[in-house]
Amino acid sequence: FMAGVHEHGLWSKNMSENMRDVDAMVKALHEKYPNKMYTRGYTGACEYATQSYLLSGTDAEGKPIDYDFLGRVENFSSNLGWLQQQLGGAKFASRERHENPSGDLTHQVSFEALKNPYNICVVCKTFLQDYVCLGYPLPETCCANQCKDVGITFQPSHLQAAGCS
């Protein structure tokens, strides 16, 4: 989600400005996702598609795309090692650090954004399918159904599918 706020830009040193941008994106996701995500000149909304949606894509002939491997950023080293083995021991130049031009600001903005339960709940609601299908834990705010306090509800079966008890 955070990458979509400033996908190709830099975070400002002004945290209030950053939070306005985050709030605008959260509001757009909540009010317009998925069919009306036409913000900042975007007309396709692909930037905001769920990973599950993208993985369910088809080729030009309408055939589902087959994937041999889905890696996780948090397992980059082991994923890269597995890929090297599959390719007959090919060696890749490994660079685990992504040089984010905003540096630590991205973490600071994320930390501030996560202080707002509404932000968390909108992200949960928008990307619930990804949490479930890709095996990531749903944030406790969402699992505990605290989102109803900010006007966002989940079907009990969806929370159960996400591993919430």
Side-chain angles (χ1 to χ4, degrees), residues 54-160:
L54 294 172
L55 289 169
S56 67
T58 60
D59 65 17
E61 297 172 358
K63 297 179 196 162
I65 297 172
D66 289 327
Y67 296 94
D68 294 324
F69 177 76
L70 292 176
R72 292 180 181 241
V73 172
E74 61 269 24
N75 299 332
F76 183 78
S77 290
S78 61
N79 291 169
L80 186 61
W82 184 88
L83 284 171
Q84 288 173 331
Q85 287 178 333
Q86 299 304 306
L87 295 171
K91 297 290 181 194
F92 303 117
S94 173
R95 212 178 81 174
E96 289 194 40
R97 279 188 51 214
H98 171 70
E99 295 297 330
N100 185 325
S102 291
D104 193 46
L105 258 170
T106 300
H107 295 290
Q108 293 172 24
V109 173
S110 296
F111 181 77
E112 287 300 313
L114 290 174
K115 289 180 180 178
N116 184 339
Y118 178 72
N119 294 346
I120 297 169
C121 294
V122 168
V123 169
C124 287
K125 185 76 170 183
T126 304
F127 300 104
L128 181 63
Q129 185 179 21
D130 284 349
Y131 283 104
V132 173
C133 294
L134 300 174
Y136 287 96
L138 201 63
E140 184 57 31
T141 301
C142 304
C143 264
N145 212 9
Q146 296 170 350
C147 294
K148 61 185 173 193
D149 297 342
V150 294
I152 296 173
T153 58
F154 298 95
Q155 294 180 17
S157 61
H158 292 169
L159 291 176
Q160 184 178 15

